[in-house]
C-alpha cells in the first residue's frame, strides 16, 4: 500500500495530516475523570502532568520555570535568551512588549535583533540555573546545537538535571565544510544527565536521534504560533503525521535496542487543550508548550509571544505575536476554567478526554481510535 499521490507528472508526495485534520473517537467505555492518571516519567524524573514548557523568553523565566515545577510539569529555561544576556532583563522585556503592534514589522524585528545581540554570559547561566535548583524543582536548560559545545560544560557544572538541545530541526549527522559539527552520539554518551533533543519531523531523522542515546525526541518543525518557517523556507511537517511517524520509529528502535524506550515529545502548534489531546492520541508521551503557557499572567512576555527564530541575525523567520492573557498559570494548567476555547484548564481537558474515551493512563490513551475529520472554521 502506498500513501503517495501524484502532484504532477514528475513528482509524487505523501499525504500528511495536521492535528486539525484528526479527531479522537469515543469507545464503548467511559471513566470518572478523577480515576484518570496523567502522570509522566522520563528517566528518573517523575511529573504530575505530561507538559514541558518550551524554552522561550516570552513564556519561561527562572520564576515561571520554578512555578511550572511546583505545578507538576517541567520548565525549561532558554540558556541563550535574555536571562543569560542581561543581569536585569526586565527593561528589555518591557521594551519588547512596547514595540510596534503591527504584524511583520521590520522595525520591531530589527530592534529585537539588536537586543539579542548582547553576549551570552556564562556566569548568568550558572546563577539562573542555581536559582531554579534552590527552589527544589527539576532543573532543565536548553541550548541550540550551535551553542552546545560552547556552553555545555557550564550547564553541567551548574547542576542541570535534564539537558535540552533544541533547534528548528536537529539531525544526528550535520555536515559542514566550515566548522567541526556536534557529534550527538559521542556527546550524549559522555554526559551523565538525560538529554532531550529535536526537532525531528519524520521517521528516519527521529530514529537516528534515538540511536544517539537521547532520552527524548522533540517532534515538530515550523508549526508553532510564532514561526514563519513555512512562509520563509517552504519547509513544514504537519504534526499529526510527524508524531505518528516518530512513534513508529520509537517502536522499531525498541526492537532494535532490546527494549530501550525513547520518549516522543510533540513540540509546537498546540495552543489549545484539544491539540494536546490529539498529540498524545497520535503517540506522543508528552507535549512541549509555548503559546499556551505564554498566555499566563506570570509569563514574561506580558501577552506577547516570540521564539528564537524571530530575532535570527541573518534570516528571521518568526513573528512577535500578541496572544493576550487568560489567567494565572495555575488556572491555565489545572483550572478551574472560565474560557470555552481550550486555553485554560489544559490538564483538566486532557483528563476528561481520556475519561470520555475510557482510558486510564497516557500509554493506554495512545491506542485510542482516531478518524480523519478536517476542521472547518466558521469564524
Amino acid at each position: 500500500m502506498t500513501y503517495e499521490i501524484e502532484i504532477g507528472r514528475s513528482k509524487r508526495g505523501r499525504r500528511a495530516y495536521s492535528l486539525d485534520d484528526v479527531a479522537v473517537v469515543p469507545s464503548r467505555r467511559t471513566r470518572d475523570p478523577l480515576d484518570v492518571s496523567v502522570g509522566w516519567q522520563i528517566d528518573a524524573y517523575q511529573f504530575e502532568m505530561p507538559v514541558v514548557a518550551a524554552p522561550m523568553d516570552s513564556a519561561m523565566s527562572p520564576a515561571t520555570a520554578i512555578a511550572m515545577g511546583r505545578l507538576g510539569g517541567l520548565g525549561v529555561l532558554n540558556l541563550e535568551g535574555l536571562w543569560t544576556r542581561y543581569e536585569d532583563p526586565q527593561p528589555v522585556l518591557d521594551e519588547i512588549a512596547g514595540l510596534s503592534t503591527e504584524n511583520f514589522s521590520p522595525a520591531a524585528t530589527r530592534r529585537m535583533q539588536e537586543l539579542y545581540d548582547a553576549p551570552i554570559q556564562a556566569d548568568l547561566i550558572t546563577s539562573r540555573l542555581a536559582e531554579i535548583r534552590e527552589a527544589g524543582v527539576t532543573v532543565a536548560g536548553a541550548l541550540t546545537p550551535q551553542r552546545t559545545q560552547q556552553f555545555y560544560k557550564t550547564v553541567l557544572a551548574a547542576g542541570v538535571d535534564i539537558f535540552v538541545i533544541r533547534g528548528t530541526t536537529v539531525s544526528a549527522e550535520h555536515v559542514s565544510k566550515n566548522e567541526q559539527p556536534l557529534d550527538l552520539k559521542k556527546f550524549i554518551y559522555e554526559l551523565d544527565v538525560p538529554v532531550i533533543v529535536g526537532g525531528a519531523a519524520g521517521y528516519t531523522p527521529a530514529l537516528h536521534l534515538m540511536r544517539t542515546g537521547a532520552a527524548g525526541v522533540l517532534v515538530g518543525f515550523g508549526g508553532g504560533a510564532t514561526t514563519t518557517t513555512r512562509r520563509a523556507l517552504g519547509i513544514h511537517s504537519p504534526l499529526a503525521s510527524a508524531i505518528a511517524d516518530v512513534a513508529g520509529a520509537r517502536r522499531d528502535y525498541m526492537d532494535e535496542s532490546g527494549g530501550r524506550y525513547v520518549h516522543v515529545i510533540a513540540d509546537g502548534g498546540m495552543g489549545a487543550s484539544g491539540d494536546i489531546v490529539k498529540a498524545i492520541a497520535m503517540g506522543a508521551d508528552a507535549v512541549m508548550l509555548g503559546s499556551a503557557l505564554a498566555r499566563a499572567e506570570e509569563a514574561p512576555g506580558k501577552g506577547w509571544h516570540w521564539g528564537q527564530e524571530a530575532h535570527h541575525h541573518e534570516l528571521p523567520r518568526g513573528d512577535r505575536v500578541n496572544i493576550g492573557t487568560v489567567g494565572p498559570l495555575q488556572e491555565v494548567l489545572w483550572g478551574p476554567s472560565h474560557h470555552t476555547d481550550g486555553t485554560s484548564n489544559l490538564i483538566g481537558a486532557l483528563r476528561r478526554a481520556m475519561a470520555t474515551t475510557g482510558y486510564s493512563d497516557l500509554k493506554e490513551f495512545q491506542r485510542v481510535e482516531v478518524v480523519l475529520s478536517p476542521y472547518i472554521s466558521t469564524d
Side-chain angles (χ1 to χ4, degrees):
M1 180 182 295
T2 177
Y3 295 95
E4 289 190 341
I5 60 175
E6 185 176 288
I7 299 171
R9 289 182 179 270
S10 67
K11 200 72 171 180
R12 298 180 67 86
R14 186 167 68 99
R15 178 68 184 267
Y17 300 97
S18 70
L19 293 177
D20 282 342
D21 293 323
V22 299
V24 171
V25 179
S27 65
R28 64 180 177 85
R29 179 187 291 118
T30 58
R31 293 184 183 273
D32 186 329
L34 296 178
D35 295 335
V36 170
S37 169
V38 292
W40 175 59
Q41 177 174 343
I42 182 169
D43 202 82
Y45 302 97
Q46 297 184 353
F47 303 95
E48 296 174 33
M49 58 179 168
V51 175
V52 182
M56 304 172 80
D57 284 349
S58 52
M60 281 293 105
S61 65
T64 52
I66 291 168
M68 273 295 298
R70 289 174 174 168
L71 287 170
L74 176 63
V76 183
L77 189 67
N78 175 16
L79 300 179
E80 300 175 35
L82 299 176
W83 273 269
T84 59
R85 296 175 189 264
Y86 296 91
E87 186 71 40
D88 179 12
Q90 193 57 55
V92 182
L93 288 164
D94 292 341
E95 181 176 350
I96 291 175
L99 292 174
S100 171
T101 58
E102 296 179 8
N103 289 331
F104 317 117
S105 167
T109 299
R110 185 180 300 109
R111 182 54 182 154
M112 290 185 67
Q113 290 171 318
E114 293 169 352
L115 293 170
Y116 276 90
D117 196 42
I120 299 169
Q121 302 177 48
D123 60 329
L124 288 179
I125 292 178
T126 300
S127 63
R128 303 309 188 197
L129 292 176
E131 181 181 347
I132 299 172
R133 175 164 293 285
E134 288 170 6
V137 301
T138 303
V139 183
L143 292 171
T144 60
Q146 295 82 359
R147 300 276 193 177
T148 293
Q149 294 195 99
Q150 182 181 358
F151 291 112
Y152 82 91
K153 291 182 179 178
T154 300
V155 175
L156 295 178
V160 72
D161 295 315
I162 297 175
F163 189 17
V164 179
I165 302 175
R166 182 178 187 255
T168 303
T169 185
V170 178
S171 65
E173 181 181 358
H174 177 68
V175 180
S176 174
K177 295 181 179 179
N178 302 311
E179 59 184 21
Q180 183 65 32
L182 175 66
D183 184 339
L184 274 177
K185 188 169 186 178
K186 181 175 183 294
F187 176 79
I188 292 175
Y189 179 78
E190 293 176 350
L191 295 185
D192 291 329
V193 299
V195 177
I196 297 172
V197 62
Y203 176 93
T204 300
L207 183 61
H208 283 224
L209 288 179
M210 291 173 186
R211 289 169 176 164
T212 67
V217 171
L218 299 171
V219 184
F221 187 100
T226 66
T227 61
T228 58
T229 300
R230 183 174 186 174
R231 188 161 60 239
L233 300 184
I235 303 175
H236 177 61
S237 182
L239 194 56
S241 292
I243 296 170
D245 285 345
V246 177
R250 175 185 60 203
R251 176 200 60 214
D252 293 346
Y253 178 69
M254 283 186 69
D255 291 340
E256 174 188 304
S257 63
R260 183 174 182 270
Y261 190 89
V262 179
H263 292 264
V264 174
I265 304 170
D267 180 12
M270 292 168 290
S273 54
D275 299 322
I276 299 170
V277 170
K278 291 187 280 187
I280 294 176
M282 296 307 298
D285 297 291
V287 295
M288 177 171 274
L289 302 181
S291 61
L293 302 179
R295 295 191 185 102
E297 291 176 356
E298 302 94 325
K302 298 181 178 180
W304 290 92
H305 185 43
W306 65 91
Q308 289 183 247
E309 303 89 352
H311 51 78
H312 191 279
H313 63 286
E314 289 183 352
L315 184 61
R317 49 195 184 277
D319 290 331
R320 182 188 62 111
V321 296
N322 191 346
I323 59 173
T325 58
V326 299
L329 187 61
Q330 164 78 40
E331 183 178 310
V332 169
L333 290 168
W334 293 102
S337 175
H338 308 290
H339 301 82
T340 60
D341 57 359
T343 56
S344 60
N345 199 4
L346 304 178
I347 305 306
L350 174 60
R351 278 183 183 275
R352 186 161 294 276
M354 293 170 63
T356 300
T357 53
Y359 294 89
S360 60
D361 62 41
L362 296 171
K363 287 305 298 179
E364 285 187 0
F365 188 61
Q366 290 174 348
R367 300 196 298 267
V368 69
E369 182 182 353
V370 298
V371 294
L372 289 175
S373 177
Y375 176 74
I376 301 176
S377 175
T378 58
D379 293 342

